[in-house]
Each structure stands twice: as C-alpha cells, then as structure tokens.
Amino acid sequence: MAQAGRRWQRSLFPWLLDFGFTQCKSDPGVFTMTRQIRGETRRLTLGCYVDDLFTLYSHDGEGSLYASFTEALTNRCNVEDEGPVSDLLNVDISTTDSCVTLKQEKYIAHL
C-alpha cells in the first residue's frame, strides 16, 4: 500500500505528542523528550522516516524513559525492537557510551 507510511505517521504523531514528546519545528519527523527520573536528566530522541523509527536515549534498562516508551509503543502497536542500528538511509551509525558517529563513506564513494 503506497500510503501506508503516511497513515502510520497520522496515527503515530498525535500519540507521540500525547505521550509527552515535543515535535521538532525544523523537522516534523523528529521528536524529543526530557524528564527528571530519580534526580537525573533522561533524554529520548525519536526519528520517524516513513514507517521506521530510530531512537537515541541517555539511559536504558528497567524503569528508564526508553523502556517505558518502548513498552507503551509495543502495547499500542504491533512493533518490535530490532536492536542496535548500524545503518539507516545510507548513513553508517556507530555508538559508544558517550558518542554517536555518523558516516557516509560508502555513499560518497558511490558518487
């Protein structure tokens, strides 16, 4: 179905706002959330492209903002967490505890 991604976004975006995310003004497919949990600032950033979601989070594990979001999303929709991402939209992604690195070497070499 050609419009499936658009229909998914029409359902997902209002739910994200109700959940407490703030939609980015410069890119409406990006949402952010910041909360204080046990005295610490927790951040969750979500990118949506067609029907794919990409999350960046400052903490994970039981009781984390990421865990509560993924549980709520899974309960609402038939989705699954496919684990750590290594590439998205021709961008290679690598992470460490404190850094996310984005590279487009393969794409540039292809040009």
Side-chain angles (χ1 to χ4, degrees):
M1 181 177 348
Q3 295 296 319
R6 185 179 176 109
R7 288 183 182 162
W8 161 245
Q9 289 179 0
R10 284 185 180 167
S11 171
L12 177 68
F13 287 12
W15 181 82
L16 291 172
L17 296 172
D18 288 344
F19 192 79
F21 280 92
T22 300
Q23 192 170 24
C24 181
K25 290 182 182 3
S26 60
D27 186 338
V30 176
F31 296 80
T32 60
M33 179 187 289
T34 303
R35 296 283 183 270
Q36 290 291 324
I37 299 176
R38 295 183 206 109
E40 291 186 64
T41 301
R42 308 291 174 103
R43 291 183 179 84
L44 183 61
T45 301
L46 178 75
C48 180
Y49 181 76
V50 186
D51 61 352
D52 289 323
L53 297 177
F54 177 77
T55 56
L56 294 170
Y57 47 89
S58 58
H59 298 79
D60 64 355
E62 188 176 333
S64 69
L65 190 55
Y66 173 73
S68 64
F69 165 70
T70 55
E71 180 181 353
L73 182 63
T74 302
N75 289 337
R76 182 179 189 278
C77 306
N78 184 21
V79 297
E80 66 181 67
D81 185 344
E82 295 184 357
V85 66
S86 60
D87 65 275
L88 180 69
L89 303 172
N90 290 320
V91 177
D92 294 321
I93 303 166
S94 61
T95 60
T96 65
D97 288 340
S98 62
C99 182
V100 176
T101 303
L102 307 175
K103 295 181 182 179
Q104 287 190 292
E105 293 171 339
K106 292 177 198 170
Y107 176 75
I108 292 169
H110 179 70
L111 294 175

